[in-house]
């Protein structure tokens, strides 16, 4: 009798063509089940015919802005040395740069450029509150940031020129870092896959996959990164909230105290009381826990914030402006999300929590703009929330001073 050997599971393909079904080449449910946080995927023609919505000189200009988060990384091939400089940069710096081996990276370009932000609509198969930003990098020929790993999911979309990507998709890649450079570069990198991506191609990488990208010619790459707070970041903010809201009357108690065997010992009974005291502080109420997380995740890693206007409109002024055709525009730095509560829902706007009906919370969380038609569909609490959001700077009336608005982008 022949003994049957167990078949190893067949892995899904690591490369697909999305010409007929952009941007993933498959239904989102299939991508999430087979690849999301499990396996890298190269998607050819994820954005067929893509023309970059931003030019290299525009990116360089943005890197000169005080409020923009920008970095300049250069590589000395002879010594394998790397240097890192942070912006803002002077306008006359970039024309003097060499034609090879450097990369300019600018974070949160989607907050500055509406055409770049429009690309996020293609990623609506993911919760919007999970998406952090679109980082745009310009690299001269040979430009790179070195072999590294990210601790979050990322979609690397080639927008202009060509970039060579190498990844190590092995099960247990070495993750030790070099100690001779200020960047977190891998000491050892052995690629298992090697591709050259052109405009419209996209590489998805789960957290922890070593990768190296090198510009084959002057190129632009868009990195759509996710928000992935560490457990340490979660617990730190959670504890800060618990401490701030703690009731001083809740203390360590021992009404059942008995004479100890050894007065110097912290015994098991005492530790049980410690656990009871700590448990009394926990957010056992789902609404309270949900409000904490909603506030946290809509402010996590925020590159900037909306500023309250010098003079906010009254409710009557707001309603009149909308009736005259005005449209409220959401501030680009404002992050929104919503969740169901035991009664209705809560809308979160960059750390603010506003209770309202589920229908209103869903509508406002999705509304980049609010016009009279949308406003009329809102209930009383939803309309009140709109005024609060304007007063906080999260929505801007067209009459608002443009310079004041731009100063806080």
């Amino acid at each position: 009798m022949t003994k049957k050997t167990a078949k190893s599971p067949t892995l899904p393909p690591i490369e697909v063509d999305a010409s007929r079904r952009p941007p993933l080449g498959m239904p989102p449910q299939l991508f999430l089940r087979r690849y999301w946080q499990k396996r890298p995927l190269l998607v050819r023609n994820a954005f067929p015919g893509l023309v970059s919505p931003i030019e290299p000189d525009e990116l360089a200009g943005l890197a000169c802005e005080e409020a923009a988060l920008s970095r300049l990384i250069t590589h000395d091939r002879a010594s394998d040395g790397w240097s890192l400089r942070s912006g803002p940069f002077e306008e006359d710096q970039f024309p003097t740069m060499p034609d090879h081996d450097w990369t300019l990276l600018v974070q949160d370009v989607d907050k500055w450029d509406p055409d770049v932000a429009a690309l996020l609509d293609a990623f609506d198969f993911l919760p919007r509150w999970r998406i952090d930003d679109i980082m745009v990098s310009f690299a001269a020929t040979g430009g790179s940031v070195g072999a590294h790993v990210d601790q979050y999911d990322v979609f690397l979309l080639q927008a202009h020129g060509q970039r060579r990507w190498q990844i190590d998709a092995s099960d247990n890649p070495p993750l030790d870092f070099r100690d001779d450079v200020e960047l977190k570069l891998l000491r050892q990198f052995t690629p298992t896959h090697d591709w050259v991506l052109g405009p419209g191609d996209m590489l998805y990488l789960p957290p922890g996959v070593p990768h190296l990208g090198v510009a084959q010619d002057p190129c632009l790459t868009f990195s759509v990164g996710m928000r992935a707070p560490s457990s340490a970041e979660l617990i730190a903010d959670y504890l800060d909230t618990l401490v701030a809201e703690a009731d001083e009357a809740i203390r360590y108690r021992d009404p059942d105290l008995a004479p100890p065997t050894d007065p110097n010992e912290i015994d098991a009974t005492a530790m049980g009381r410690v656990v009871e005291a700590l448990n009394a502080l926990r957010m056992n109420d789902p609404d309270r826990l949900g409000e904490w997380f909603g506030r946290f995740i809509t402010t996590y890693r925020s590159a900037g914030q909306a500023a309250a206007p010098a003079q906010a409109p009254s409710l009557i002024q707001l309603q009149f402006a909308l009736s005259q055709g005005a449209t409220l525009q959401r501030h680009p730095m404002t992050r929104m999300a919503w969740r169901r509560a035991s009664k209705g829902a809560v809308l979160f706007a960059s750390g603010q929590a506003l209770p309202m009906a589920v229908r209103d919370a869903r509508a406002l969380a999705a509304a980049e703009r609010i016009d009279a038609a949308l406003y009329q569909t809102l209930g009383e609490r939803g309309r009140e929330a709109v005024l609060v959001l304007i007063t906080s700077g999260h929505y801007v009336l067209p009459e608002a001073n443009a310079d004041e608005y731009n100063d806080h982008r």
Side-chain angles (χ1 to χ4, degrees):
M1 185 174 179
T2 304
K3 184 178 179 180
K4 293 184 179 180
T5 58
K7 292 184 178 180
S8 58
T10 302
L11 294 174
I14 200 168
E15 180 175 348
V16 299
D17 191 296
S19 298
R20 296 184 178 181
R21 196 163 193 168
L24 299 171
M26 65 187 77
Q29 296 88 339
L30 187 61
F31 168 80
L32 294 173
R33 185 170 69 248
R34 291 185 175 180
Y35 296 95
W36 180 253
Q37 298 196 342
K38 304 172 188 71
R39 180 169 169 78
L41 177 67
L42 171 62
V43 186
R44 298 288 186 188
N45 299 303
F47 289 74
L50 175 67
V51 175
S52 176
I54 191 170
E55 295 293 327
D57 59 339
E58 294 174 318
L59 188 69
L62 184 55
C64 299
E65 294 286 341
E66 183 72 30
L69 298 177
S70 57
R71 293 168 290 161
L72 186 62
I73 296 174
T74 57
H75 181 212
D76 183 340
R77 296 193 195 189
S79 64
D80 195 24
W82 297 80
S83 68
L84 169 66
R85 285 177 285 171
S86 296
F89 300 100
E90 297 296 329
E91 292 183 5
D92 58 0
Q93 179 166 352
F94 295 106
T96 64
M97 295 293 292
D99 63 359
H100 58 87
D101 299 345
W102 61 273
T103 301
L104 172 67
L105 306 101
V106 183
Q107 301 283 156
D108 292 289
V109 178
D110 54 300
K111 316 301 191 302
W112 294 83
D113 190 308
D115 293 326
V116 173
L119 293 172
L120 292 175
D121 291 342
F123 296 89
D124 62 1
F125 56 90
L126 298 171
R128 181 54 67 95
W129 58 265
R130 278 281 273 132
I131 299 175
D132 189 13
D133 75 330
I134 298 181
M135 180 184 74
V136 179
S137 65
F138 170 77
T141 302
S144 174
V145 299
H148 65 285
V149 294
D150 295 316
Q151 299 303 321
Y152 51 84
D153 304 86
V154 63
F155 295 85
L156 300 162
L157 172 62
Q158 195 61 26
H160 176 77
Q162 294 186 320
R163 185 183 287 271
R164 180 187 182 188
W165 283 107
Q166 296 175 299
I167 70 169
D168 182 354
S170 60
D171 290 336
N172 295 294
L175 297 177
D176 293 332
F177 295 121
R178 290 174 56 172
D179 55 13
D180 60 336
V181 292
E182 55 184 321
L183 299 169
K184 278 194 169 183
L185 301 183
L186 295 171
R187 186 185 302 275
Q188 181 182 345
F189 176 67
T190 306
T192 59
H193 297 77
D194 191 326
W195 303 288
V196 174
L197 275 63
D201 294 339
M202 182 171 72
L203 177 61
Y204 163 71
L205 295 176
V209 175
H211 53 286
L212 170 65
V214 180
Q216 304 300 285
D217 52 21
C219 71
L220 287 167
T221 304
F222 292 6
S223 301
V224 183
M226 301 296 114
R227 292 179 213 165
S230 68
S231 57
E233 290 172 318
L234 286 169
I235 196 67
D237 193 87
Y238 178 77
L239 289 176
D240 286 345
T241 303
L242 286 181
V243 171
E245 299 178 356
D247 183 350
E248 281 292 310
I250 300 177
R251 293 177 176 269
Y252 176 90
R253 300 176 66 253
D254 48 8
D256 56 347
L257 185 64
T261 303
D262 181 343
N264 299 307
E265 179 189 5
I266 302 173
D267 59 23
T269 304
M271 290 309 303
R273 298 187 190 105
V274 171
V275 172
E276 288 180 8
L278 291 174
N279 283 338
L281 291 176
R282 288 172 54 189
M283 295 182 185
N284 296 316
D285 179 0
D287 284 348
R288 188 177 172 215
L289 181 63
E291 181 168 321
W292 159 73
F293 184 72
R295 290 178 183 272
F296 168 79
I297 201 63
T298 54
T299 55
Y300 176 69
R301 287 176 54 87
S302 180
Q305 61 184 11
Q311 184 174 0
S314 66
L315 181 60
I316 294 176
Q317 288 172 324
L318 168 62
Q319 293 175 341
F320 177 77
L322 291 174
S323 71
Q324 296 301 302
T327 299
L328 300 174
Q329 175 71 46
R330 185 187 295 178
H331 194 287
M333 287 296 179
T334 294
R335 293 173 168 177
M336 285 194 181
W338 73 279
R339 68 173 296 273
R340 296 178 189 272
S342 57
K343 294 182 179 179
V346 180
L347 175 72
F348 301 98
S350 295
Q352 281 186 284
L354 301 166
M356 63 188 66
V358 169
R359 184 183 65 179
D360 292 353
R362 180 186 288 117
L364 290 176
E368 293 292 333
R369 297 173 181 82
I370 299 176
D371 58 13
L374 174 56
Y375 186 79
Q376 291 299 325
T377 67
L378 300 175
E380 181 180 355
R381 300 193 81 175
R383 295 184 183 187
E384 291 173 353
V386 170
L387 189 60
V388 172
L389 293 169
I390 294 173
T391 302
S392 302
H394 298 305
Y395 281 100
V396 181
L397 276 170
E399 290 81 9
N401 185 286
D403 291 335
E404 178 183 353
Y405 173 63
N406 290 325
D407 285 345
H408 297 93
R409 284 176 62 102

